[in-house]
């Protein structure tokens, strides 16, 4: 489904044999059978005007025909009987209609009914991407829960390992799922239903939550609070989708914008810093096709991916005591990082390569079939927007600052608890309770599409 290239020029129509479907096509073709075009050649019961399906049967006469004209000596009755008998016109027409009807009924009984084209099977949801999304949302909860213990090297190492790829891969999957976003009115309406309305509700909700735990009231709609940045960034990425789909080389352009953005101190208003910092991952997902995911399903690629993940974990453990955390948020400028322009470009380029390597490694290792957490991956929005409430309460109450949590066992305990929280927030019962808030149905707000 190649949506990233511009529309091709009009060319000579190809034959149906040449127009075969492929992975780059967005929908299957269902040609009508020849019997559907009702014409003289296709109608088995068709006949020309005035033509009967069988010839008119001859009328029998009991007496032999006369050899000559009647004479005056013959009786009038005999002369009349010698004449050929002719049926009345009304009777002849009725016989013709009855014969035609009988022949048509016989032909209809003998002619088998044309087989109807089988309906295309309903498209089943692919569990693979749902598996990926649940793994990523669980890592989001774990990462946010580790913040109070980042002074410990073990917690810091896991934090760096997670932040190297988990949000870049989330953005990449979002780009892949945005390829046909503008082809549907219902999906376009979700720009308001799924992003703007929940964004305002969550902003107000977290402002009230901060006040309830003793913090000052602060509400700035244009500056997203904490995890709410993703809703605005994804909104602007999807608004920019038509531009990327019209470009010949969208990925090099996105990477160039990502590198050059480091020269500017972009503020966090409207999530613009994250918009430019994670832009390449969205565009790469936007141009990816299903066959690219299939390429990652090879055995040797899985082996390389496993080695990549293990190597990244070892590097995270090694650099944890001395590495700053700001570069892993993909938003800081070169000046904020206290780097020269060439060191800043090298750092951004290196982070991009490492993040992409980890993204493809995780995509290769995640199970592709139905798993126990496939259904949970369909409700990651609820986990993302709601997990901040228990995490923020635990931080403010000091539940994540016990001394025994600053070590490997503490990291394991926090990660396990966060994983369990992710499962609970992805359950269908959670969606039932919060659907009216996070997925409002605003059908009254939109015009119905015309039926012309």
């Amino acid at each position: 489904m190649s949506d990233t290239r511009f529309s091709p020029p009009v060319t000579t129509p190809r034959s149906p044999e040449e127009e075969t479907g492929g992975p780059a096509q967005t929908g299957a073709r269902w040609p009508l059978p020849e019997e559907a075009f009702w014409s003289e050649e296709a109608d088995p019961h068709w006949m020309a005007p005035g033509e009967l399906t069988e010839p008119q049967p001859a009328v029998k006469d009991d007496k032999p025909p006369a050899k000559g004209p009647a004479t005056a000596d013959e009786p009038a009755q005999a002369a009349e009987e010698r004449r050929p008998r002719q049926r009345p016109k009304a009777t002849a027409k009725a016989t013709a209609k009855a014969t035609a009807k009988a022949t048509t009924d016989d032909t209809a009984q003998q002619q088998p009914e044309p087989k109807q084209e089988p309906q295309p099977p309903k498209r089943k949801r692919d569990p693979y991407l749902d598996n990926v999304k649940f793994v990523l949302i669980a890592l989001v909860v774990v990462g946010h829960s580790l913040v109070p213990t980042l002074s410990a090297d073990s917690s810091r190492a896991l934090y760096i390992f997670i932040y190297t790829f988990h949000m870049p891969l989330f953005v990449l999957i979002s780009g892949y799922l945005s390829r046909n976003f503008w082809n549907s009115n219902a999906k376009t309406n979700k720009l308001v239903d799924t992003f703007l309305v929940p964004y305002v509700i969550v902003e107000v909700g977290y402002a009230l939550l901060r006040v309830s735990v003793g913090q000052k009231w602060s509400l700035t709609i244009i500056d997203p609070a904490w995890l709410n940045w993703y809703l605005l960034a994804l909104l602007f990425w999807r608004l920019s989708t038509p531009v990327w789909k019209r470009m010949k080389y969208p990925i090099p352009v996105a990477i160039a914008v990502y590198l050059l953005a480091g020269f500017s101190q972009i503020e966090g208003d409207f999530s613009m810093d994250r918009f430019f910092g994670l832009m390449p991952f969205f565009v790469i997902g936007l141009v990816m096709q299903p066959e690219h995911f299939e390429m990652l399903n090879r055995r040797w690629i899985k082996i390389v991916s496993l080695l990549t993940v293990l190597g990244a974990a070892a590097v995270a453990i090694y650099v944890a005591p001395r590495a700053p955390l700001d570069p892993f948020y993909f938003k800081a400028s070169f000046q904020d990082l206290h780097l020269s322009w060439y060191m800043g470009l090298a750092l951004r380029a290196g982070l991009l390569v490492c993040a992409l390597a980890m993204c493809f490694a995780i995509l290769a290792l995640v199970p592709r079939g139905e798993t126990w957490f496939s259904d949970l991956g369909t409700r990651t929005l609820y986990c993302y927007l709601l997990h901040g409430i228990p995490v923020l309460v635990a931080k403010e109450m000091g539940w994540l600052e016990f001394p025994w949590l600053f070590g490997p066992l503490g990291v394991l305990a926090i990660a396990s608890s966060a994983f369990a929280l992710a499962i609970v927030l992805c359950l269908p019962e959670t969606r039932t309770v919060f659907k009216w808030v996070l997925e409002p149905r605003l059908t009254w707000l939109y015009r119905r599409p015309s039926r012309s």
Side-chain angles (χ1 to χ4, degrees):
M1 292 176 279
S2 180
D3 296 330
T4 59
R5 299 183 180 180
F6 57 88
S7 303
V10 178
T11 57
T12 305
R14 297 181 297 177
S15 62
E17 291 78 10
E18 296 176 351
E19 293 185 351
T20 56
Q25 309 229 351
T26 58
R29 296 185 177 92
W30 295 97
L32 291 173
E34 295 180 357
E35 292 81 6
F37 300 98
W38 200 250
S39 60
E40 297 177 1
E41 295 77 12
D43 186 355
H45 305 154
W46 178 86
M47 53 187 177
E51 179 182 349
L52 299 178
T53 55
E54 292 184 1
Q56 174 71 20
V59 180
K60 295 183 180 180
D61 194 358
D62 296 338
K63 295 183 179 181
K67 295 182 180 180
T71 60
D73 299 335
E74 293 178 327
Q77 183 177 2
E80 183 68 23
E81 292 176 356
R82 288 174 54 189
R83 294 176 183 175
R85 296 181 181 178
Q86 296 180 357
R87 298 193 177 195
K89 294 183 179 180
T91 307
K93 292 181 179 180
T95 305
K97 291 182 179 180
T99 306
K101 182 178 180 181
T103 307
T104 303
D105 294 341
D106 295 340
T107 307
Q109 293 178 0
Q110 297 176 2
Q111 182 73 16
E113 295 183 359
K115 296 182 179 180
Q116 296 182 355
E117 189 73 15
Q119 296 294 332
K122 292 184 178 180
R123 192 174 181 181
K124 186 178 180 181
R125 187 181 181 102
D126 186 5
Y128 172 57
L129 292 182
D130 292 332
N131 296 339
V132 175
K133 290 193 295 181
F134 177 76
V135 171
L136 294 178
I137 198 62
L139 293 177
V140 169
V141 182
V142 172
H144 289 160
S145 302
L146 290 173
V147 172
T149 61
L150 288 181
S151 58
D153 292 344
S154 55
S155 179
R156 195 179 184 89
L158 180 58
Y159 188 85
I160 291 175
F161 175 80
I162 292 174
Y163 271 74
T164 302
F165 70 91
H166 78 313
M167 287 314 299
L169 184 51
F170 235 133
V171 175
L172 187 147
I173 296 298
S174 299
Y176 178 76
L177 297 177
S178 301
R179 294 170 303 153
N180 301 323
F181 190 83
W182 289 99
N183 297 347
S184 170
N185 290 328
K187 292 181 179 179
T188 307
N189 295 345
K190 286 187 176 182
L191 290 175
V192 176
D193 297 353
T194 311
F195 298 119
L196 291 183
V197 174
Y199 172 78
V200 175
I201 293 174
V202 172
E203 280 291 317
V204 175
Y206 276 109
L208 294 174
L209 181 61
R210 288 191 295 268
V211 172
S212 64
V213 295
Q215 298 182 14
K216 293 182 179 180
W217 169 265
S218 62
L219 177 62
T220 307
I221 296 296
I222 65 174
D223 186 12
W226 195 18
L227 50 82
N228 219 14
W229 66 266
Y230 183 71
L231 290 179
L232 276 188
L234 184 56
L235 171 65
F236 289 115
W237 283 322
R238 283 189 169 171
L239 288 175
S240 68
T241 296
V243 178
W244 299 113
K245 291 171 68 175
R246 293 288 297 174
M247 287 187 180
K248 287 185 177 181
Y249 311 105
I251 295 179
V253 173
I255 293 176
V257 172
Y258 158 78
L259 294 175
L260 295 177
F263 288 96
S264 301
Q265 287 184 289
I266 303 174
E267 299 295 334
D269 293 348
F270 296 107
S271 300
M272 286 294 102
D273 51 354
R274 306 274 191 150
F275 172 78
F276 290 104
L278 293 168
M279 179 182 291
F281 303 100
F282 182 83
V283 177
I284 290 173
L286 198 63
V287 303
M288 287 187 69
Q289 301 298 326
E291 56 266 26
H292 297 143
F293 291 94
E294 290 301 322
M295 293 174 59
L296 299 173
N297 198 25
R298 301 174 183 177
R299 178 176 299 179
W300 69 271
I301 291 182
K302 292 180 179 293
I303 296 174
V304 173
S305 301
L306 180 60
L307 296 176
T308 301
V309 172
L310 295 177
V315 172
I317 294 174
Y318 176 75
V319 302
R322 62 186 69 88
L325 299 178
D326 289 341
F328 298 98
Y329 300 138
F330 293 91
K331 65 176 184 178
S333 65
F334 302 154
Q335 182 177 349
D336 294 336
L337 296 175
H338 307 288
L339 297 174
S340 60
W341 66 269
Y342 56 90
M343 289 297 296
L345 289 176
L347 177 62
R348 281 212 163 195
L351 277 175
L352 179 64
V353 173
C354 293
L356 287 176
M358 285 294 296
C359 288
F360 294 132
I362 298 299
L363 288 174
L365 295 177
V366 170
R368 294 177 174 266
E370 193 77 24
T371 62
W372 64 269
F373 54 87
S374 298
D375 181 66
L376 300 176
T378 63
R379 292 176 289 272
T380 54
L381 175 65
Y382 292 84
C383 183
Y384 184 82
L385 296 179
L386 296 175
H387 81 273
I389 299 175
V391 171
L392 182 60
V393 171
K395 290 179 181 178
E396 295 297 328
M397 300 299 293
W399 298 342
L400 298 176
E401 297 179 0
F402 293 109
W404 66 274
L405 292 177
F406 290 76
L409 292 179
V411 171
L412 181 60
I414 293 175
S416 301
S417 302
F419 187 78
L421 177 61
I423 294 176
V424 172
L425 295 180
C426 289
L427 291 175
E429 291 77 9
T430 304
R431 182 183 184 183
T432 303
V433 174
F434 294 98
K435 183 177 181 179
W436 65 277
V437 178
L438 300 182
E439 286 186 296
R441 295 182 59 85
L442 304 178
T443 55
W444 54 269
L445 190 61
Y446 312 107
R447 293 183 300 175
R448 293 184 178 180
S450 60
R451 297 182 179 179
S452 59

